[in-house]
Amino acid sequence: MGKFQSVFDIIGPIMVGPSSSHTAGAVKIGRATRYLFAEDIHYVKCHLYGSFAKTYKGHGTDVALIAGILGYNTDDERIIDALSHAKDQGIHVEFIEDYSAVPHPNTVRIEVMNATDHLELVGQSIGGGKVEIVELNGFNLNLSGNHPAILVMHNDRFGAIASVTEILARYEINIGRMEVNRKDVGKEALMTIELDQNIEPEVEAALRDAKHILRLAKVVD
C-alpha cells in the first residue's frame, strides 16, 4: 500500500486537542512511558525540544504527556485536566524547555521515578499521531508505539534470545519486528520485539522465567 498502511494513517487518530503531533503523539509517548515503567510514579520530568519546547502550552503537549503517563487514551476527555489529576495523585511534574539540537523537532525526554526505581525515555512524535521511542535508559531503539511490544532486558549470553523466541513460538505469537542492542559484550542487553497481538499473563510469566532474563516490560495495543 506504499507509505500509508491504513486510512487512519492519513486522517490521523481520534483525539482531544489541536494537533495530532503535539497532542495524540504526546499521549502515546506518555502511555509508553507508563507501561515501560510499570510501577507507581512519584515524579515526572519532561525535557521538551524543538517545536515541543516552543509551543507545548498552547498546543496542549504538557497535559497530553501527563495524560498518557496517567494511562488515558488519545480520545479521553480527561486529558485537559491531566495536570490537576496528577497533582491529586501525588505526582510531582516538571517541564524543562531545552533548545539543544535534536534530529526531530517534536522530541521529548521523559524521566519518571519513585523512591526505588528510575526510567528515562526519549520519544518523537512523527506526525498523524504516530510516535517512535528512540532511547530507553541509555539503549538506542526504534519502537513505534503503534503495535503491542515487549522489551526484554537480559544478560548478553548465548541462548538468551532463543529462550524468548522459543516461548513466543510455543504460544503461536508472531513477531513483527525484533531488534537487539547491547552496551558492551557480556553486559546487559535489550531486546525490542513488536508483536501481532498482546501477550497473555501466562506468556508473560514464562518470559520472565526464561534463561538470562533480567526484566520485562510490555506496551499493549
Side-chain angles (χ1 to χ4, degrees):
M1 291 179 64
K3 179 179 178 182
F4 295 107
Q5 300 302 309
S6 77
V7 66
F8 298 106
D9 294 347
I10 301 171
I11 65 173
I14 299 171
M15 62 178 187
V16 175
S19 164
S20 60
S21 292
H22 287 246
T23 306
V27 171
K28 288 185 176 181
I29 294 171
R31 280 173 62 86
T33 305
R34 176 186 177 90
Y35 284 124
L36 294 173
F37 192 57
E39 297 182 27
D40 289 338
I41 296 172
H42 298 166
Y43 183 83
V44 179
K45 182 185 292 186
C46 298
H47 299 259
L48 300 152
Y49 300 88
S51 62
F52 268 4
K54 296 175 183 177
T55 64
Y56 72 97
K57 290 183 179 179
H59 282 189
T61 307
D62 50 354
V63 295
L65 288 166
I66 302 306
I69 288 172
L70 293 177
Y72 300 168
N73 288 313
T74 56
D75 59 350
D76 197 312
E77 294 182 356
R78 297 174 296 173
I79 288 175
I80 194 170
D81 297 314
L83 292 173
S84 62
H85 293 171
K87 184 177 180 180
D88 292 342
Q89 295 180 31
I91 301 173
H92 177 78
V93 176
E94 181 179 1
F95 294 97
I96 298 172
E97 299 171 21
D98 193 321
Y99 294 98
S100 303
V102 289
H104 194 280
N106 298 329
T107 298
V108 60
R109 179 182 297 273
I110 302 177
E111 297 178 67
V112 292
M113 64 193 76
N114 56 30
T116 59
D117 209 352
H118 171 271
L119 179 142
E120 186 171 332
L121 172 153
V122 178
Q124 300 171 345
S125 182
I126 60 176
K130 290 185 172 296
V131 303
E132 290 182 350
I133 308 303
V134 298
E135 185 179 316
L136 178 67
N137 286 351
F139 286 95
N140 294 323
L141 69 154
N142 180 19
L143 179 65
S144 71
N146 298 310
H147 303 282
I150 54 173
L151 283 81
V152 185
M153 193 75 68
H154 62 97
N155 288 317
D156 183 28
R157 299 286 189 276
F158 176 81
I161 296 172
S163 68
V164 170
T165 57
E166 286 171 1
I167 291 169
L168 294 175
R170 187 194 317 156
Y171 287 95
E172 299 182 348
I173 297 173
N174 194 47
I175 295 174
R177 189 183 64 83
M178 181 173 181
E179 182 179 63
V180 181
N181 289 288
R182 65 184 183 185
K183 294 181 179 179
D184 202 356
V185 177
K187 304 296 184 180
E188 288 186 352
L190 177 69
M191 278 183 262
T192 305
I193 308 174
E194 290 191 342
L195 306 168
D196 289 346
Q197 64 197 77
N198 294 318
I199 60 172
E200 299 295 331
E202 61 179 321
V203 182
E204 182 178 350
L207 290 169
R208 291 186 186 279
D209 290 337
K211 191 175 182 181
H212 303 306
I213 302 308
L214 301 174
R215 183 173 179 177
L216 181 141
K218 59 183 180 178
V219 177
V220 300
D221 192 15

